[in-house]
Amino acid sequence: MVSNKKKEDKPPKNHILAFFSKTIIKQILLALVFTVLMYFIVGSSMAPERITVKVGDLAPEDIRATKEMVDEITTEQQKEEAMKRVEPRYRVETSVQVKIKNDINSFFITLKEVRSLEEETYADKMEILQKGSNIELDQNEYGIALTISDEILATLENNVQDMVSQVMGMGIKEEELEYEKQSISRNFEELEHLSDNAKNLGISIIEKTIQPNRFLDVETTLQKRKEAADQVAPAIIKEGQIIVEKKQPIDERIYSLVKKTGLLKETEGPDYKLILGTIIIILILEGLIVSYLYIFERRVFRDVKLLLVLAIIILATTAISKSMYRISEYLMPISLATMLISILINPKLAILVNMVTSIFIGTITANDINTIIILLIGGTVGTFAIINTHQRYNIVLTGLIVSVVNIFTICAFGFIHGVELREILFTSMYGAINGLFSAVLTIGSLPLWESLFDILTPLKLLELSNPNQPLLKRLLVETPGTYHHSIIVGNLSEAAAEEVEGNPLIARVGAYYHDVGKLKRPFFFKENQYNGENPHDKINPSLSTLIITNHTKDGDELAKKYKLPSAIRDIIIQHHGQTLVAYFYHKALNSENGDTVKAESFRYAGPKPQTKEAAIVMLADSVEAAARAMPEPSKGKIEGLVRQIIKDKLNDGQLDECGLTLKDLNAIANAFVRVLLGIFHERIEYPKLDLAELKGDS
């Protein structure tokens, strides 16, 4: 892999800071922290029971309390039962009732005002009432309101107000609203001094206005339940009272009580042999991973950030598995670790991590060989299935595959050990949930890993390549010439990266964004000049060079603003390296002050490309621009142009730090030529036909 360019850091303020700034020290500290945390996760599981009895055992004899003590589990159960017996408390919101009464008053006031308009026709009154009413009724109901007598209207208003006050005063719960509406309808039907139309109008007014005003008083309910729980007297075990009789099973409650008696045979002080043995096992497994990284994955070994990701994933998976073990050993999500490591780091490393993590988790299950084998198989399947995943829904598919394999594996062990079919089906359900649970955790946590640790995954790259990404959309709308150029550069870069075992996705996406800095001054770049005017004709070459070279810096600023990953930002800032802006340099040489012109003033600030992908984008950028300006392109011309550009970059020292070999450069040239020939292929010259004559002949 390409090594990062070394930068001259300021000397540390003291020797301690210098000591801890070294990579090897960070690696050692990380290993120590990992060892300690892993010990706390699995250490207790490795310890053999140092007691006479344990949960699930049969009591060897009657066990009596050696002192008076509180049975906390029974007390807690009694408190919970007392709290359940407390009925929920409700409160009536008077503000709701006041609002409803005000709404009804407002409606009747508006109605009376409209009815008093003697100059207006019935139709006008109807229109005025419909617009001014704060209660939405149908046209027939508005008509009834306008035509009933004043005496009936006054009676109706009183009845409506009385019923609302009666119902709302007692309070209405959400689930009681429909029942109260039906009850009001029945009450209105029983009124003898109102016409049927008036009754219907009153019912409609109330149904359109009443609302729930009786709500659960959570605070009071909780307070009452707390009071009920506080009133429960502690369950006391008297001294000499039998806790468990001989041959009776010991459950959690009995175990805790026996432990309180002090009758359990426990070793006093820490068991140093146990601690030492546990740490040795952890260090051996840890050493396997470190050795593999040092020999086969030196890039990951030197990257403390990736080592931290690896450590967190292993620790988190082991801790989650320990929690899930309380429910079932088949719920332990080993494939979570393998899927994450495959996506974030390397599938080969995920296989080794699967083995190591399975052993760690196996200690939690008292080294149950069946469980360890199931973990190994499920994790390995997760690694294989997740390879080349380019869409997030593929992770769900991987989870389904792991679920299916878990089911078959669990069934196989069940048949081997003669387990009942019902039990096999039940445990298989846990195996199915395991795979889906791992997939959900993987999908949910991926954005966190990508953002916190600035890791560029294929999934993230594909999201960045979407034309609807805000920055790409701006590039398309504001600088269509640059956008088209970037797409072609992306095609060239991807093809070349595949030939030299680079990362095609990074090369393509980096090419899409490499010229985003041109958004700041788009019309100073030739591909965005559509009216024939060139702003550079009106300014001196030095200023033109400054504008041109600044587009890498401007691009980096935009990339930071839009939170692009560092790998893409590196391509943006490095894709011109320290190249000479030849056109304006020669223009400056031919100016009046040409004798004082220095080439260094007309170069990009750099740095030179530090990776294969950045170097490929640099070459593709130059090749695409030159090929587009080529008159009458042919295969020979294109190939000569491509190789000349690569040669010039090589001779100028721009490719010194990217890790590309001469063999790679030849493969890149061939890839460029192949893509460009597909773009600038020869076209058939269509004959001119007289369509009118052909039509006449037919």
Side-chain angles (χ1 to χ4, degrees):
M1 290 297 296
V2 179
S3 60
N4 292 329
K5 183 180 179 181
K6 296 181 180 179
K7 298 181 180 179
E8 293 184 5
D9 297 328
K10 294 181 179 179
K13 293 181 179 179
N14 53 56
H15 296 293
I16 296 177
L17 184 59
F19 178 80
F20 284 101
S21 65
K22 294 179 180 179
T23 300
I24 185 64
I25 301 304
K26 294 178 182 177
Q27 292 169 331
I28 293 173
L29 289 175
L30 179 59
L32 288 174
V33 172
F34 177 87
T35 303
V36 172
L37 292 178
M38 184 58 73
Y39 172 79
F40 281 115
I41 295 173
V42 303
S44 59
S45 302
M46 289 186 175
E49 291 289 345
R50 305 296 184 185
I51 57 177
T52 302
V53 293
K54 59 182 183 294
V55 174
D57 283 352
L58 298 179
E61 58 185 10
D62 290 346
I63 301 177
R64 298 177 180 271
T66 57
K67 57 184 177 180
E68 185 175 292
M69 54 190 178
V70 177
D71 185 348
E72 294 178 351
I73 295 178
T74 301
T75 303
E76 192 63 30
Q77 290 174 348
Q78 291 175 353
K79 286 184 177 182
E80 289 177 0
E81 291 172 1
M83 292 173 67
K84 290 178 181 177
R85 289 194 293 268
V86 175
E87 293 293 333
R89 299 298 196 269
Y90 292 88
R91 55 182 169 77
V92 177
E93 286 286 351
T94 56
S95 60
V96 177
Q97 181 179 354
V98 171
K99 180 180 180 303
I100 292 172
K101 293 187 70 175
N102 290 339
D103 289 343
I104 293 173
N105 284 333
S106 176
F107 170 78
F108 279 103
I109 290 171
T110 302
L111 175 60
K112 292 174 183 178
E113 289 176 353
V114 174
R115 286 167 60 97
S116 66
L117 299 175
E118 298 179 355
E119 306 84 17
E120 302 292 339
T121 64
Y122 174 84
D124 291 336
K125 289 181 180 181
M126 176 69 74
E127 182 179 358
I128 294 170
L129 181 58
Q130 286 177 334
K131 291 181 179 179
S133 173
N134 62 326
I135 300 176
E136 186 177 351
L137 305 173
D138 60 35
Q139 193 165 4
N140 182 51
E141 291 167 342
Y142 283 126
I144 295 171
L146 289 172
T147 56
I148 60 177
S149 66
D150 292 340
E151 181 181 355
I152 293 178
L153 179 62
T155 303
L156 175 64
E157 181 178 3
N158 291 333
N159 284 324
V160 168
Q161 293 286 13
D162 290 343
M163 287 192 182
V164 168
S165 297
Q166 181 182 355
V167 173
M168 298 299 292
M170 297 175 62
I172 303 175
K173 293 190 286 187
E174 180 75 34
E175 61 271 21
E176 298 173 345
L177 184 59
E178 290 303 321
Y179 172 80
E180 293 296 341
K181 288 182 179 181
Q182 294 174 6
S183 177
I184 289 170
S185 298
R186 290 193 297 269
N187 291 339
F188 256 99
E189 293 296 337
E190 294 173 1
L191 295 176
E192 298 177 355
H193 50 276
L194 289 177
S195 64
D196 290 340
N197 286 338
K199 291 177 182 179
N200 291 335
L201 176 60
I203 292 170
S204 182
I205 291 172
I206 294 177
E207 287 183 346
K208 295 293 176 59
T209 54
I210 63 170
Q211 301 173 16
N213 69 331
R214 191 179 178 199
F215 305 103
L216 178 65
D217 191 340
V218 178
E219 185 175 350
T220 302
T221 302
L222 291 177
Q223 179 63 29
K224 294 296 181 182
R225 288 177 176 174
K226 184 177 182 301
E227 291 173 0
D230 292 341
Q231 291 174 1
V232 174
I236 302 298
I237 304 294
K238 298 292 184 179
E239 183 177 351
Q241 182 178 338
I242 294 179
I243 298 174
V244 59
E245 295 179 350
K246 184 178 180 179
K247 299 297 183 181
Q248 293 299 310
I250 296 176
D251 57 19
E252 292 286 348
R253 184 185 72 85
I254 294 173
Y255 180 83
S256 65
L257 292 174
V258 173
K259 191 173 183 179
K260 281 186 177 182
T261 64
L263 296 176
L264 292 176
K265 294 181 181 179
E266 297 177 297
T267 303
E268 295 184 2
D271 189 339
Y272 293 106
K273 290 182 179 179
L274 173 64
I275 294 173
L276 181 60
T278 303
I279 291 177
I280 289 174
I281 292 295
I282 293 173
L283 290 175
I284 290 173
L285 296 175
E286 193 176 336
L288 288 176
I289 297 176
V290 172
S291 300
Y292 173 87
L293 293 176
Y294 183 80
I295 297 171
F296 299 107
E297 294 290 343
R298 195 68 62 89
R299 175 185 66 89
V300 179
F301 179 79
R302 291 171 176 167
D303 192 333
V304 178
K305 178 181 67 177
L306 291 181
L307 292 177
L308 178 60
V309 170
L310 183 62
I312 293 174
I313 290 174
I314 296 174
L315 289 168
T317 304
T318 308
I320 294 172
S321 297
K322 187 173 183 179
S323 299
M324 291 295 102
Y325 179 63
R326 297 173 184 174
I327 303 173
S328 171
E329 63 269 32
Y330 302 114
L331 280 177
M332 297 187 289
I334 183 66
S335 51
L336 166 66
T338 59
M339 286 193 286
L340 280 175
I341 293 171
S342 295
I343 295 172
L344 297 172
I345 304 177
N346 189 307
K348 296 177 183 178
L349 176 60
I351 296 292
L352 177 63
V353 169
N354 177 48
M355 181 191 74
V356 171
T357 309
S358 295
I359 296 174
F360 279 136
I361 297 175
T363 62
I364 298 172
T365 66
N367 300 318
D368 183 357
I369 188 64
N370 292 348
T371 303
I372 294 175
I373 292 175
I374 291 172
L375 292 173
L376 286 170
I377 294 174
T380 304
V381 170
T383 302
F384 290 156
I386 205 74
I387 293 175
N388 296 325
T389 293
H390 289 164
Q391 299 292 340
R392 296 193 189 272
Y393 68 81
N394 288 343
I395 300 176
V396 178
L397 180 60
T398 299
L400 289 172
I401 295 172
V402 172
S403 296
V404 171
V405 172
N406 283 344
I407 290 173
F408 280 111
T409 309
I410 292 170
C411 288
F413 279 110
F415 296 148
I416 291 171
H417 296 293
V419 180
E420 292 183 1
L421 182 60
R422 182 178 179 182
E423 181 68 19
I424 292 174
L425 294 176
F426 185 78
T427 53
S428 296
M429 179 189 69
Y430 283 128
I433 295 173
N434 184 330
L436 293 175
F437 180 57
S438 299
V440 169
L441 288 178
T442 302
I443 294 174
S445 63
L446 258 184
L448 190 65
W449 300 108
E450 291 170 346
S451 59
L452 283 182
F453 297 97
D454 195 25
I455 297 177
L456 199 53
T457 65
L459 303 171
K460 182 66 174 179
L461 284 168
L462 285 173
E463 289 176 359
L464 290 173
S465 67
N466 190 325
N468 287 320
Q469 283 288 334
L471 194 51
L472 279 185
K473 205 163 189 177
R474 278 192 61 191
L475 199 67
L476 171 61
V477 174
E478 299 176 28
T479 58
T482 299
Y483 178 82
H484 179 264
H485 158 74
S486 299
I487 296 299
I488 302 300
V489 172
N491 294 338
L492 290 168
S493 301
E494 183 177 34
E498 288 174 351
E499 295 295 326
V500 298
E501 298 183 357
N503 190 315
L505 263 179
I506 289 181
R508 174 155 62 94
V509 176
Y512 286 173
Y513 290 90
H514 79 285
D515 270 346
V516 292
K518 293 181 179 180
L519 282 167
K520 191 168 185 179
R521 304 177 187 86
F523 298 107
F524 280 87
F525 298 88
K526 192 65 179 177
E527 67 267 23
N528 300 314
Q529 296 170 4
Y530 308 113
N531 55 8
E533 294 184 7
N534 190 341
H536 293 290
D537 295 337
K538 301 176 183 178
I539 58 179
N540 63 60
S542 297
L543 182 56
S544 293
T545 300
L546 182 63
I547 293 172
I548 295 297
T549 56
N550 265 354
H551 86 273
T552 56
K553 178 183 175 183
D554 296 335
D556 186 45
E557 291 175 355
L558 272 174
K560 290 178 182 176
K561 178 181 177 182
Y562 284 86
K563 298 180 179 178
L564 296 185
S566 59
I568 303 302
R569 285 170 44 205
D570 288 343
I571 291 176
I572 292 172
I573 203 72
Q574 296 170 16
H575 80 275
H576 278 293
Q578 296 174 353
T579 306
L580 180 70
V581 186
Y583 178 85
F584 293 112
Y585 173 65
H586 288 293
K587 186 176 179 181
L589 286 176
N590 296 326
S591 64
E592 294 180 1
N593 299 321
D595 297 335
T596 61
V597 172
K598 294 182 180 180
E600 289 75 17
S601 301
F602 290 81
R603 286 187 179 273
Y604 283 86
K608 296 176 181 178
Q610 302 294 300
T611 63
K612 289 182 179 180
E613 292 78 18
I616 288 170
V617 172
M618 166 191 272
L619 296 173
D621 185 31
S622 300
V623 164
E624 194 282 333
R628 185 157 28 92
M630 178 186 293
E632 299 180 3
S634 63
K635 181 178 179 181
K637 286 184 178 180
I638 290 174
E639 186 167 1
L641 175 69
V642 169
R643 295 192 179 278
Q644 184 60 48
I645 289 174
I646 293 176
K647 181 180 178 182
D648 291 342
K649 297 293 184 186
L650 182 62
N651 292 338
D652 194 30
Q654 301 304 317
L655 306 178
D656 290 349
E657 302 171 10
C658 65
L660 290 174
T661 64
L662 292 176
K663 182 180 178 181
D664 291 336
L665 294 178
N666 183 60
I668 290 170
N670 292 334
F672 284 171
V673 171
R674 186 174 65 252
V675 174
L676 289 173
L677 287 177
I679 298 172
F680 298 104
H681 60 274
E682 295 183 2
R683 298 184 181 275
I684 299 173
E685 184 177 352
Y686 291 94
K688 296 182 179 179
L689 298 175
D690 190 339
L691 297 179
E693 181 179 344
L694 289 173
K695 186 176 180 181
D697 291 341
S698 63

